[in-house]
Amino acid sequence: MPAVCDVSVTNVCNAACDFCGFSRDKKLAGPARYLAPDEFERALPILRRRKIRYMTFQGGEPLVHPQIEALVASATKAGMQCGLITNGWFLSKHIEKLAAAGLKRLLVSIDSANMGEHEHNRGLQGLEARIADGIARARSFGIPVSASVTVSRLVHYESLPATLERLGFDSVSFSYPRREAFGSSSLVYDETSTLVDLSAEEILDALSEIARLKKRFRVMDPNAALDEVARFVRGEQQLIPCVGGSKYFYLDWNLDIWRCEAWSEPMGSVFDFDRYPDQREPCNACMMSCYRHASVLMHGAMAVADSAQALGRGDFRSAVSSLFQRGVATSLWALSREELPSMRATSLTKRRAAFRASSKSELKPDHP
């Protein structure tokens, strides 16, 4: 099975988000750091040997990295399907070169259906116009664009679809508020922000709003993942263990590889990754959306793969027990009902964009 890696390419950010420690105003990140392109390229064969095929570039703000296009190009050349999450301020400037480098997925952060509120939280006046232009350019290259929305007091769920449609988004995914510091180098939290100081009841209400939103807009969060987060919030036992450390990893600008952003210590240097065994001991210690959603969709497929390997060894008992692990049926159901239809929809979006681009090219005159 393929694996996923989130890559933080810098600790620098141009925005001033209230609920993020990377904020330019908070001075938590320390000296500016940027992932070295030559060292990253040297690490890519190691990552590929670990079956990593999907990579998302993040920050800080990844578009402040002076060689972000080179990072995407080298990862694409190594056989990774690359995505990138950005606040959108520099998107129009970079999107053509990112598309040429092989970027396949784009996520843009949105904090509120009211773009005035969004710009205020980001500390970036005029951001709305830049986002809209960047999205239009990305879609012209056939790159699907998803909104990344953090659950906070700024989110107006009823109004959100209209705003996302107006800006040109294809879909939306949600992440969940975090106030506690991470053990890793990631600073995507804030211990004092009132915007994410939500009670358990408020988070559960938000999860219900997200589920209802699916009737009006394409929401990428699987229902089974929303249910798992709700169990976490209520203090109940979750069905599906996290795949962090086995099929999902975090790589930072220091080229340290982590089981996940919430883990207390790195596995070690990425250049020693071949020596580190998969960390598959069950963990349900947080509700980070990227890991939670991936776990829901991967758990069943991993169980099937484990079962097939056991059968290949002639170990019938292990083959059967792999398939009857807790949560396998839930995972396979989520994969068949939500992820596979979503993949087909994404493919259709890309084909439509390619057709529009081809049509425009054919309509251009041969001579000025």
Side-chain angles (χ1 to χ4, degrees):
M1 270 192 64
V4 182
C5 186
D6 289 341
V7 182
S8 283
V9 301
T10 181
N11 62 348
V12 177
C13 189
N14 62 311
C17 306
D18 176 82
F19 46 63
C20 182
F22 282 117
S23 167
R24 66 181 187 232
D25 297 334
K26 295 180 182 175
K27 313 300 181 186
L28 297 179
R33 297 297 307 274
Y34 300 94
L35 181 64
D38 55 343
E39 292 293 282
F40 175 65
E41 187 170 4
R42 190 162 69 91
L44 285 168
I46 302 170
L47 294 169
R48 186 167 174 83
R49 285 198 294 271
R50 203 56 173 257
K51 307 300 182 186
I52 291 169
R53 299 294 184 269
Y54 296 91
M55 187 169 282
T56 301
F57 293 95
Q58 58 187 34
E61 167 51 49
L63 296 186
V64 304
H65 193 294
Q67 294 173 281
I68 184 63
E69 292 92 353
L71 296 175
V72 173
S74 61
T76 299
K77 185 178 179 181
M80 315 290 185
Q81 188 178 111
C82 296
L84 182 144
I85 180 167
T86 174
N87 60 42
W89 184 258
F90 300 110
L91 186 54
S92 295
K93 175 183 177 182
H94 288 276
I95 189 59
E96 183 174 356
K97 290 182 179 179
L98 286 169
L103 188 73
K104 298 299 184 185
R105 297 171 287 110
L106 182 65
L107 297 95
V108 180
S109 298
I110 296 293
D111 300 330
S112 174
N114 182 322
M115 291 305 289
E117 290 183 346
H118 175 69
E119 290 186 357
H120 178 75
N121 185 52
R122 295 271 154 174
L124 296 170
Q125 187 175 1
L127 179 57
E128 177 181 4
R130 287 173 175 253
I131 288 175
D133 183 68
I135 290 174
R137 290 171 184 260
R139 294 184 68 178
S140 74
F141 294 115
I143 300 174
V145 188
S146 183
S148 178
V149 179
T150 297
V151 171
S152 76
R153 298 192 189 283
L154 291 176
V155 183
H156 313 294
Y157 297 94
E158 282 295 314
S159 307
L160 196 57
T163 297
L164 299 182
E165 288 171 0
R166 177 171 55 79
L167 291 171
F169 284 103
D170 299 296
S171 60
V172 61
S173 61
F174 292 86
S175 57
Y176 311 116
R178 184 177 177 99
R179 294 179 56 117
E180 303 82 10
F182 287 119
S184 73
S185 52
S186 176
L187 297 173
V188 188
Y189 68 89
D190 190 279
E191 296 175 299
T192 61
S193 172
T194 58
L195 293 180
V196 293
D197 184 16
L198 304 177
S199 67
E201 291 73 18
E202 287 174 310
I203 296 175
L204 292 172
D205 286 344
L207 294 172
S208 297
E209 293 276 9
I210 292 168
R212 285 193 290 270
L213 201 61
K214 292 191 173 198
K215 296 178 180 179
R216 301 176 54 201
F217 198 76
R218 186 178 170 203
V219 177
M220 304 301 290
D221 309 50
N223 282 328
L226 296 176
D227 292 341
E228 282 284 82
V229 175
R231 292 185 187 98
F232 177 88
V233 173
R234 291 193 296 261
E236 300 172 358
Q237 184 178 9
Q238 292 167 268
L239 299 180
I240 297 171
C242 183
V243 298
S246 59
K247 289 299 177 182
Y248 208 125
F249 301 93
Y250 167 59
L251 180 70
D252 66 16
W253 49 85
N254 299 312
L255 287 162
D256 284 334
I257 195 82
W258 302 72
R259 174 171 177 163
C260 70
E261 290 174 67
W263 211 249
S264 58
E265 59 184 8
M267 298 172 74
S269 168
V270 70
F271 298 110
D272 296 322
F273 201 8
D274 286 327
R275 297 193 296 105
Y276 308 143
D278 280 352
Q279 297 182 3
R280 294 189 64 170
E281 61 273 20
C283 179
N284 293 98
C286 76
M287 60 178 183
M288 286 191 69
S289 60
C290 45
Y291 296 91
R292 179 52 51 204
H293 296 171
S295 298
V296 163
L297 296 173
M298 287 185 173
H299 179 60
M302 288 175 65
V304 172
D306 289 344
S307 178
Q309 290 177 355
L311 281 176
R313 299 191 304 268
D315 187 350
F316 182 74
R317 177 174 294 182
S318 294
V320 172
S321 64
S322 292
L323 294 177
F324 283 90
Q325 294 177 75
R326 184 180 179 90
V328 168
T330 299
S331 175
L332 292 174
W333 177 258
L335 186 65
S336 64
R337 289 299 301 268
E338 298 200 63
E339 181 64 10
L340 296 181
S342 173
M343 291 170 63
R344 287 194 292 270
T346 298
S347 177
L348 180 60
T349 298
K350 290 181 178 179
R351 289 199 298 271
R352 286 174 175 170
F355 176 77
R356 286 195 297 268
S358 175
S359 299
K360 288 179 182 178
S361 176
E362 291 175 359
L363 289 173
K364 288 181 180 179
D366 293 333
H367 303 284

